[in-house]
Amino acid sequence: MGQTDIEMPVLLAPMAGITDLPFRRMVARFGAGLVVSEMVASGEMITRKPSVRAKARVELGLDLPSSVQLAGRDPQPMAEAARMVADMGARIIDINMGCPAKKVTGGASGSALMRDPDHALRLIEATVGAVDLPVTLKMRLGWDDDMRNAPEIARRAEAAGIKMIVVHGRTRMQFYKGQADWHAIAATREAVSIPVIANGDIVDAASARLAQSHSGSAGVMVGRGAQGAPWLLAQISAELFGTRAPKEPVGSELCDFISEHYGSILSFYGRDLGLRLARKHLGWYAERAQAPLRAEMMVAETPEHVLALIERAFGERIAA
């Protein structure tokens, strides 16, 4: 990928409100080919407000093996935002053409761009031309079953200078319903010579192996499967590509790990907001580990109480 090589072809998908900097740091600790930032709206990025840009600089976590994902509908703001994050130290810029959320597609961004390939290509060309960095693209199979145009867009994107493409195996109109069609990703892989990464419903090494086999992809991108398991990407990479297997935390190490993640969330967001935002992560850890006291952790009102519950929930299960 030009200036940036991805040695471990297992990537963390961007997920709004989930793959924040504290979570990306936990994933990167075990190993990941790339951790992609939460989506950054190009229009907001280019605002003149110093506070917005300062906040972005902190949240991007550019010391990690990280890609900054930009979303937008107009070429000029996308190009300007790309230059900004490049100046901040970004290593890779990713263009969002896959988000299905109505608030994004309603503004003609995300997967809505797949309805107008000519306009999408103008946006891609502007972004690629604005920076001397690898630019990648994340998209879906198409807008709906009548417009499965990922291969066409991929060919044109490669010609415009895109270095890697991630394809989620659903159309926009499917949102996250049904099963991701990994076989359908193969048409995009056959249309280009750059790496194509398979995404959608990859939750463990077995599903990752099937996704890669059915699509012929160069690697996989993991999203919801990593919730409550920051070590999953490294485990998949070890199974599929023979990289070093991570040491999954168990026993007291798991308690310490979850407590550390919790503390990093509070430090990043502040006590009150962090207390609320951490709950979903604690819930996923508890669900995956089949630990008790999940309900209590969801309503605890002080960090001290939460930390005590973490110790009890995971410690008691281990002792048993």
Side-chain angles (χ1 to χ4, degrees), residues 2 8 12 20 22 24 41 58 66 68 100 109 124 149 169 176 233 239 252 272 275 277 280 286:
M8 180 186 292
L12 178 66
D20 56 13
R24 297 199 307 275
V58 172
S66 181
V68 177
S109 298
I124 290 169
N149 55 358
Y176 296 99
L233 277 74
E239 289 284 335
S252 61
D272 293 340
L275 188 67
L277 295 180
K280 55 180 173 283

Side-chain angles (χ1 to χ4, degrees), residues 10-13 15 18-19 22-32 35 202-205 222-237 246-249 254 257-258 261 280-290 314:
V10 182
L11 287 57
L12 178 66
M15 294 180 287
I18 299 171
T19 54
F23 184 73
R24 297 199 307 275
R25 286 199 184 284
M26 290 301 183
V27 171
R29 175 185 301 185
F30 292 97
V35 293
I202 297 170
V203 297
D204 53 24
V222 181
R224 290 170 290 172
Q227 294 171 352
W231 46 84
L232 178 63
L233 277 74
Q235 289 176 334
I236 290 174
S237 183
K247 182 182 179 183
E248 180 178 341
L254 180 60
F257 180 84
I258 295 171
H261 187 186
K280 55 180 173 283
H281 291 282
L282 295 177
W284 290 323
Y285 282 125
E287 182 179 3
R288 186 175 291 271
Q290 297 181 332
F314 296 93

Side-chain angles (χ1 to χ4, degrees), residues 159-179:
I162 289 293
K163 301 301 184 185
M164 183 181 75
I165 295 173
V166 178
V167 182
H168 184 111
R170 292 181 175 88
T171 66
R172 184 272 175 181
M173 295 305 291
Q174 287 179 276
F175 287 87
Y176 296 99
K177 297 177 182 177
Q179 175 68 37

Side-chain angles (χ1 to χ4, degrees), residues 120-165:
L121 262 293
R122 288 192 290 273
L123 186 147
I124 290 169
E125 289 166 350
T127 307
V128 171
V131 294
D132 186 24
L133 292 175
V135 179
T136 64
L137 177 64
K138 189 174 191 295
M139 61 180 176
R140 290 193 162 221
L141 298 175
W143 177 257
D144 57 24
D145 284 335
D146 294 327
M147 188 182 287
R148 289 193 169 216
N149 55 358
E152 171 204 346
I153 293 174
R155 281 192 294 269
R156 298 178 65 182
E158 180 181 23
I162 289 293
K163 301 301 184 185
M164 183 181 75
I165 295 173

